[in-house]
Amino acid sequence: MQIRRDESSTDEVGRAQVEAAKGANGGPPHIHLRQEERFIVHTGELHVRRGRERIRVRAGEDIRIPPKVVHTFQAETESTYTVEFRPALRGWEFFRDLFALPTDRRGNPHVGDAARLMRAYPDEFLYFPFVPVSIQRALAVPLSKLRSTLQ
């Protein structure tokens, strides 16, 4: 995926323009604690999982995911879309730092790096949906001390 910040972003709405190859995805199912996420598809097609729903979002369509709703997505074809986060919070900084992390062959960051990111961006982090956030945050403290073996 190629992602660039949209200059129309504000403190209220963070926007990014995305070019996604077929198969590009939003990672494992996750939740955002305080942010609504919206996908506005310009070309191509996204398959979005929102809660128990499976939704096909085509060019000219959009979909909103409220805070705390489990979701993920995958580009079914080469696609372009706008993604919005409301409120913006520090979303751009979070994703910049997330995408800068070294990853394993499957594209996953080292657990220690992810834990440090969670501690740095507690409101923007992508939390696992079926583990209480309080437990994830508590585990992030010792896990953040693990050094990355991927560098």
Side-chain angles (χ1 to χ4, degrees):
M1 282 194 281
Q2 291 186 0
I3 302 168
R4 64 181 169 76
R5 185 177 189 187
D6 191 300
E7 293 184 16
S8 69
S9 293
T10 65
D11 289 342
E12 182 182 324
V13 182
R15 288 186 185 91
Q17 302 302 318
V18 181
E19 295 177 19
K22 179 180 179 176
N25 64 72
H30 59 273
I31 62 170
H32 303 281
L33 291 181
R34 297 184 47 212
Q35 294 171 297
E36 173 187 88
E37 188 170 12
R38 179 180 179 208
F39 297 98
I40 306 162
V41 178
H42 306 296
T43 64
E45 179 179 315
L46 298 180
H47 278 190
V48 177
R49 174 182 168 191
R50 179 177 66 186
R52 293 179 182 243
E53 299 175 283
R54 306 295 190 269
I55 303 159
R56 191 174 298 227
V57 187
R58 296 182 174 100
E61 299 176 341
D62 70 285
I63 186 169
R64 293 176 189 265
I65 295 106
K68 300 181 183 176
V69 171
V70 178
H71 66 283
T72 192
F73 67 91
Q74 181 172 353
E76 278 303 300
T77 63
E78 191 171 292
S79 303
T80 60
Y81 56 92
T82 301
V83 61
E84 295 181 344
F85 287 93
R86 293 174 191 263
L89 302 175
R90 295 180 304 149
W92 183 252
E93 294 85 353
F94 166 74
F95 283 107
R96 178 200 62 210
D97 292 353
L98 173 64
F99 294 138
L101 292 177
T103 59
D104 64 18
R105 291 182 307 223
R106 296 170 72 192
N108 299 312
H110 180 268
V111 68
D113 293 334
R116 285 187 288 281
L117 199 63
M118 181 190 300
R119 295 186 70 200
Y121 297 99
D123 291 332
E124 296 82 5
F125 196 76
L126 313 174
Y127 290 94
F128 293 114
F130 305 112
V131 178
V133 170
S134 60
I135 291 174
Q136 293 180 65
R137 287 180 172 171
L139 289 171
V141 174
L143 291 174
S144 68
K145 296 175 181 15
L146 296 175
R147 298 188 59 77
S148 175
T149 58
L150 301 172
Q151 296 177 354

